[in-house]
Amino acid sequence: MTAPDILGRVGILGAMDAEISEFLDHAELLEHVEWRGFDFHRIRLEGREAILVKCGVGKVYSALVSQHLIDTYLPSSLIFTGVAGALNPAYEIGDVVISRDCMQHDVDGRALGFSRGNLLYTDLKVFTAEPSLVSAALSAQADGHKIHAGRILTGDQFMTRDEINHHRYLIDELRGDAVEMEGGAMAQVCAVNGLPFVVVRTISDRADGDAVHDFTRFLPVVAQNSFAIVKHILSV
Ligand code: ADE
């Protein structure tokens, strides 16, 4: 399947205003519909129709809004755009990571014999992103930063140095390259619905002792890098 085939109408989610504002500034707004306090914007960008929505922070919001978007607007794929904390030491603030795959790092049924990240009583663990969307994203021209393909870990925690010290498994066991709070939940919803997805995240911090400061400082600036990549995916 090539990228254009699965980009008939794409759903684009971001967690926070700063992660979707660039889209609203640059796209043509076709329609706005409010549902349960969430604003669904039907937009045209790069000649393609898309549904853009801010879902809020965390896995439940991400899943809730993803499912409503799928049921209501029948998209052919979903893209999550925004920022993430780096786990991979080679990643710099401002670099973009494209999800080769996603896992939910806070799923832990080890007491019942499941490996970490394995959704209990299922065979779901690693959610593989749509390869044609990953390739399309990687073919974008980066302006002063790198674009990586990597593993994105999702959980309902903002990771700083303290958390990371207690959670070495993010890197040692789960082999995560970046950490955020929504992508893996959207990926799970896409798996249930049989829909392709990709997550596009710009590094806002290193999930370390400076994470809160860096996240606050860089969020509004670096989210633009994700926008440029998503725009490029739509143009391919
Ligand atoms: N999103 C951006 N930075 C993050 C971090 N350090 N932890 C979780 N989600 C993030």
Side-chain angles (χ1 to χ4, degrees):
M1 193 185 275
T2 62
D5 288 332
I6 55 172
L7 280 173
R9 176 194 269 177
V10 59
I12 304 172
L13 293 88
M16 301 173 71
D17 283 325
E19 294 173 315
I20 65 156
S21 61
E22 204 78 4
F23 291 84
L24 290 173
D25 289 349
H26 290 91
E28 178 189 353
L29 180 63
L30 303 175
E31 186 186 24
H32 165 240
V33 177
E34 194 247 311
W35 174 80
R36 304 278 195 271
F38 300 97
D39 294 307
F40 288 78
H41 307 275
R42 197 160 61 81
I43 60 171
R44 195 182 333 269
L45 186 62
E46 295 295 314
R48 292 192 184 279
E49 193 175 308
I51 309 298
L52 174 73
V53 58
K54 179 183 83 169
C55 67
V57 175
K59 287 167 55 178
V60 173
Y61 277 139
S62 170
L64 171 72
V65 169
S66 295
Q67 189 62 57
H68 180 72
L69 198 163
I70 291 168
D71 291 342
T72 310
Y73 297 97
L74 308 176
S76 46
S77 57
L78 292 190
I79 300 176
F80 208 104
T81 181
V83 298
L87 298 173
N88 188 323
Y91 290 10
E92 304 280 351
I93 289 174
D95 284 0
V96 179
V97 54
I98 313 300
S99 61
R100 196 183 323 101
D101 53 40
C102 292
M103 287 176 66
Q104 295 174 40
H105 66 75
D106 55 357
V107 171
D108 187 356
R110 287 175 301 153
L112 294 168
F114 296 94
S115 65
R116 204 191 281 281
N118 188 171
L119 298 168
L120 279 66
Y121 302 106
T122 76
D123 57 5
L124 299 175
K125 177 171 173 172
V126 177
F127 297 96
T128 304
E130 166 58 37
S132 64
L133 292 174
V134 175
S135 315
L138 292 174
S139 72
Q141 289 290 325
D143 203 8
H145 58 269
K146 293 204 184 88
I147 308 174
H148 312 272
R151 170 164 291 169
I152 295 184
L153 301 182
T154 301
D156 278 325
Q157 292 101 0
F158 185 85
M159 292 293 178
T160 66
R161 184 174 49 204
D162 290 344
E163 280 77 21
I164 292 290
N165 284 344
H166 288 103
H167 299 89
R168 289 299 312 167
Y169 60 84
L170 295 175
I171 298 166
D172 298 345
E173 185 184 338
L174 301 182
R175 306 276 165 208
D177 293 302
V179 63
E180 41 85 303
M181 302 178 71
E182 296 84 21
M186 182 193 80
Q188 184 180 346
V189 172
C190 284
V192 170
N193 289 271
L195 217 60
F197 79 90
V198 70
V199 179
V200 177
R201 294 284 194 176
T202 307
I203 299 303
S204 58
D205 59 83
R206 293 195 172 81
D208 59 8
D210 296 325
V212 172
H213 173 263
D214 287 345
F215 173 79
T216 313
R217 173 164 171 222
F218 292 116
L219 168 68
V221 186
V222 299
Q224 293 172 12
N225 294 355
S226 299
F227 165 72
I229 305 288
V230 174
K231 189 162 159 295
H232 177 76
I233 295 174
L234 298 181
S235 75
V236 169

CSV table of all heavy atoms in Angstrom, one decimal, residues 192-220:
chain,number,residue,atom,x,y,z
A,192,VAL,N,-7.3,-2.2,16.9
A,192,VAL,CA,-8.6,-2.8,17.1
A,192,VAL,C,-9.5,-2.5,15.8
A,192,VAL,O,-10.3,-3.3,15.4
A,192,VAL,CB,-9.3,-2.2,18.3
A,192,VAL,CG1,-10.8,-2.6,18.4
A,192,VAL,CG2,-8.6,-2.6,19.6
A,193,ASN,N,-9.3,-1.3,15.2
A,193,ASN,CA,-10.1,-0.9,14.1
A,193,ASN,C,-9.5,-1.3,12.7
A,193,ASN,O,-10.1,-1.0,11.7
A,193,ASN,CB,-10.3,0.6,14.1
A,193,ASN,CG,-11.3,1.1,15.2
A,193,ASN,OD1,-12.5,1.1,15.0
A,193,ASN,ND2,-10.7,1.3,16.4
A,194,GLY,N,-8.3,-1.9,12.8
A,194,GLY,CA,-7.6,-2.2,11.5
A,194,GLY,C,-7.2,-1.0,10.7
A,194,GLY,O,-7.3,-1.1,9.5
A,195,LEU,N,-6.8,0.0,11.4
A,195,LEU,CA,-6.4,1.3,10.7
A,195,LEU,C,-4.9,1.5,10.8
A,195,LEU,O,-4.3,1.4,11.8
A,195,LEU,CB,-7.2,2.4,11.4
A,195,LEU,CG,-7.7,3.6,10.5
A,195,LEU,CD1,-8.7,3.0,9.5
A,195,LEU,CD2,-8.4,4.6,11.5
A,196,PRO,N,-4.3,2.0,9.7
A,196,PRO,CA,-2.9,2.4,9.7
A,196,PRO,C,-2.6,3.6,10.6
A,196,PRO,O,-3.5,4.5,10.6
A,196,PRO,CB,-2.5,2.6,8.3
A,196,PRO,CG,-3.7,2.5,7.5
A,196,PRO,CD,-4.9,2.2,8.3
A,197,PHE,N,-1.5,3.7,11.2
A,197,PHE,CA,-1.2,4.9,12.0
A,197,PHE,C,0.3,5.2,11.9
A,197,PHE,O,1.1,4.4,11.5
A,197,PHE,CB,-1.6,4.7,13.4
A,197,PHE,CG,-0.5,3.9,14.2
A,197,PHE,CD1,0.5,4.5,14.9
A,197,PHE,CD2,-0.6,2.5,14.2
A,197,PHE,CE1,1.5,3.8,15.5
A,197,PHE,CE2,0.3,1.8,14.9
A,197,PHE,CZ,1.4,2.4,15.5
A,198,VAL,N,0.7,6.5,12.3
A,198,VAL,CA,2.0,6.8,12.5
A,198,VAL,C,2.0,7.9,13.6
A,198,VAL,O,1.1,8.7,13.7
A,198,VAL,CB,2.8,7.3,11.2
A,198,VAL,CG1,2.3,8.6,10.7
A,198,VAL,CG2,4.3,7.3,11.5
A,199,VAL,N,3.1,8.0,14.4
A,199,VAL,CA,3.3,9.0,15.4
A,199,VAL,C,4.5,9.8,15.0
A,199,VAL,O,5.5,9.3,14.7
A,199,VAL,CB,3.4,8.4,16.8
A,199,VAL,CG1,3.6,9.5,17.9
A,199,VAL,CG2,2.2,7.5,17.2
A,200,VAL,N,4.3,11.1,15.0
A,200,VAL,CA,5.4,12.1,14.7
A,200,VAL,C,5.7,13.0,15.9
A,200,VAL,O,4.8,13.8,16.2
A,200,VAL,CB,5.0,12.9,13.4
A,200,VAL,CG1,6.1,13.9,13.1
A,200,VAL,CG2,4.7,12.0,12.2
A,201,ARG,N,6.8,12.9,16.5
A,201,ARG,CA,7.1,13.6,17.7
A,201,ARG,C,8.4,14.3,17.6
A,201,ARG,O,9.4,13.8,17.2
A,201,ARG,CB,7.2,12.6,18.9
A,201,ARG,CG,5.9,11.9,19.2
A,201,ARG,CD,4.9,12.8,20.0
A,201,ARG,NE,3.9,12.1,20.6
A,201,ARG,CZ,2.9,12.6,21.4
A,201,ARG,NH1,3.0,13.9,21.6
A,201,ARG,NH2,2.0,11.9,21.9
A,202,THR,N,8.4,15.6,18.0
A,202,THR,CA,9.6,16.4,18.1
A,202,THR,C,10.1,16.3,19.5
A,202,THR,O,9.3,16.4,20.5
A,202,THR,CB,9.4,17.8,17.7
A,202,THR,OG1,8.8,17.9,16.4
A,202,THR,CG2,10.7,18.6,17.6
A,203,ILE,N,11.4,16.1,19.7
A,203,ILE,CA,12.0,16.0,21.0
A,203,ILE,C,12.0,17.4,21.7
A,203,ILE,O,12.6,18.4,21.2
A,203,ILE,CB,13.5,15.5,21.0
A,203,ILE,CG1,13.5,14.1,20.3
A,203,ILE,CG2,14.1,15.5,22.4
A,203,ILE,CD1,12.6,13.1,21.0
A,204,SER,N,11.3,17.5,22.9
A,204,SER,CA,11.2,18.7,23.6
A,204,SER,C,12.1,18.7,24.8
A,204,SER,O,12.4,19.8,25.4
A,204,SER,CB,9.8,19.0,24.1
A,204,SER,OG,9.3,17.9,24.9
A,205,ASP,N,12.5,17.5,25.2
A,205,ASP,CA,13.3,17.4,26.5
A,205,ASP,C,14.0,16.0,26.5
A,205,ASP,O,13.7,15.2,25.6
A,205,ASP,CB,12.5,17.6,27.7
A,205,ASP,CG,11.3,16.6,27.8
A,205,ASP,OD1,11.6,15.4,28.2
A,205,ASP,OD2,10.2,16.9,27.3
A,206,ARG,N,14.8,15.8,27.5
A,206,ARG,CA,15.5,14.5,27.5
A,206,ARG,C,15.0,13.6,28.6
A,206,ARG,O,15.7,12.7,29.1
A,206,ARG,CB,17.0,14.7,27.7
A,206,ARG,CG,17.7,15.4,26.5
A,206,ARG,CD,19.2,15.2,26.6
A,206,ARG,NE,19.8,15.7,25.3
A,206,ARG,CZ,20.0,17.0,25.0
A,206,ARG,NH1,19.7,17.9,25.9
A,206,ARG,NH2,20.5,17.3,23.8
A,207,ALA,N,13.8,13.9,29.1
A,207,ALA,CA,13.2,13.1,30.2
A,207,ALA,C,14.2,13.0,31.4
A,207,ALA,O,14.3,11.9,32.0
A,207,ALA,CB,12.8,11.7,29.7
A,208,ASP,N,14.8,14.1,31.7
A,208,ASP,CA,15.8,14.1,32.8
A,208,ASP,C,15.5,15.2,33.8
A,208,ASP,O,14.4,15.7,33.9
A,208,ASP,CB,17.2,14.3,32.1
A,208,ASP,CG,17.3,15.6,31.4
A,208,ASP,OD1,16.4,16.5,31.4
A,208,ASP,OD2,18.4,15.9,30.7
A,209,GLY,N,16.5,15.6,34.5
A,209,GLY,CA,16.3,16.6,35.6
A,209,GLY,C,15.9,18.0,35.0
A,209,GLY,O,15.3,18.8,35.8
A,210,ASP,N,16.2,18.2,33.8
A,210,ASP,CA,15.8,19.5,33.1
A,210,ASP,C,14.4,19.4,32.4
A,210,ASP,O,14.0,20.3,31.7
A,210,ASP,CB,16.8,20.0,32.1
A,210,ASP,CG,18.2,20.3,32.8
A,210,ASP,OD1,18.1,20.8,34.0
A,210,ASP,OD2,19.2,20.0,32.3
A,211,ALA,N,13.8,18.2,32.4
A,211,ALA,CA,12.7,17.9,31.6
A,211,ALA,C,11.5,19.0,31.7
A,211,ALA,O,11.0,19.4,30.7
A,211,ALA,CB,12.1,16.5,31.8
A,212,VAL,N,11.2,19.3,32.9
A,212,VAL,CA,10.1,20.3,33.1
A,212,VAL,C,10.4,21.6,32.5
A,212,VAL,O,9.6,22.2,31.7
A,212,VAL,CB,9.8,20.4,34.6
A,212,VAL,CG1,8.7,21.5,34.8
A,212,VAL,CG2,9.2,19.1,35.2
A,213,HIS,N,11.6,22.1,32.8
A,213,HIS,CA,12.1,23.4,32.2
A,213,HIS,C,12.1,23.3,30.7
A,213,HIS,O,11.6,24.2,30.0
A,213,HIS,CB,13.4,23.7,32.8
A,213,HIS,CG,14.1,24.9,32.2
A,213,HIS,ND1,15.0,24.8,31.2
A,213,HIS,CD2,13.9,26.2,32.4
A,213,HIS,CE1,15.4,26.0,30.9
A,213,HIS,NE2,14.7,26.9,31.6
A,214,ASP,N,12.8,22.3,30.2
A,214,ASP,CA,12.9,22.2,28.7
A,214,ASP,C,11.6,22.0,28.0
A,214,ASP,O,11.3,22.6,27.0
A,214,ASP,CB,13.8,21.0,28.3
A,214,ASP,CG,15.3,21.2,28.7
A,214,ASP,OD1,15.6,22.4,28.9
A,214,ASP,OD2,16.0,20.2,28.7
A,215,PHE,N,10.7,21.2,28.6
A,215,PHE,CA,9.4,20.9,28.0
A,215,PHE,C,8.7,22.2,27.8
A,215,PHE,O,8.1,22.6,26.8
A,215,PHE,CB,8.6,19.9,28.8
A,215,PHE,CG,7.2,19.7,28.4
A,215,PHE,CD1,6.9,18.9,27.3
A,215,PHE,CD2,6.2,20.4,29.1
A,215,PHE,CE1,5.6,18.7,26.9
A,215,PHE,CE2,4.9,20.2,28.7
A,215,PHE,CZ,4.6,19.4,27.6
A,216,THR,N,8.6,23.0,28.9
A,216,THR,CA,7.9,24.3,29.0
A,216,THR,C,8.5,25.3,28.0
A,216,THR,O,7.8,26.0,27.3
A,216,THR,CB,8.0,24.9,30.4
A,216,THR,OG1,7.7,23.8,31.3
A,216,THR,CG2,7.0,26.0,30.5
A,217,ARG,N,9.8,25.3,27.9
A,217,ARG,CA,10.5,26.2,27.0
A,217,ARG,C,10.4,25.9,25.6
A,217,ARG,O,10.1,26.7,24.7
A,217,ARG,CB,12.0,26.3,27.5
A,217,ARG,CG,12.8,27.1,26.6
A,217,ARG,CD,14.1,27.5,27.2
A,217,ARG,NE,15.0,28.1,26.1
A,217,ARG,CZ,16.2,27.8,25.9
A,217,ARG,NH1,16.9,27.0,26.7
A,217,ARG,NH2,16.9,28.4,25.0
A,218,PHE,N,10.6,24.6,25.3
A,218,PHE,CA,10.7,24.2,23.9
A,218,PHE,C,9.4,23.8,23.2
A,218,PHE,O,9.3,23.7,22.0
A,218,PHE,CB,11.7,23.1,23.7
A,218,PHE,CG,13.1,23.6,24.0
A,218,PHE,CD1,13.9,23.0,25.0
A,218,PHE,CD2,13.7,24.5,23.2
A,218,PHE,CE1,15.1,23.5,25.3
A,218,PHE,CE2,15.0,25.0,23.4
A,218,PHE,CZ,15.7,24.5,24.5
A,219,LEU,N,8.3,23.4,24.0
A,219,LEU,CA,7.1,22.9,23.4
A,219,LEU,C,6.6,23.8,22.3
A,219,LEU,O,6.3,23.3,21.2
A,219,LEU,CB,6.0,22.7,24.5
A,219,LEU,CG,4.6,22.5,24.1
A,219,LEU,CD1,4.4,21.2,23.4
A,219,LEU,CD2,3.6,22.6,25.3
A,220,PRO,N,6.4,25.1,22.5
A,220,PRO,CA,5.8,25.9,21.5
A,220,PRO,C,6.7,26.1,20.2
A,220,PRO,O,6.2,26.2,19.1
A,220,PRO,CB,5.6,27.3,22.1
A,220,PRO,CG,6.1,27.2,23.6
A,220,PRO,CD,6.8,25.9,23.7
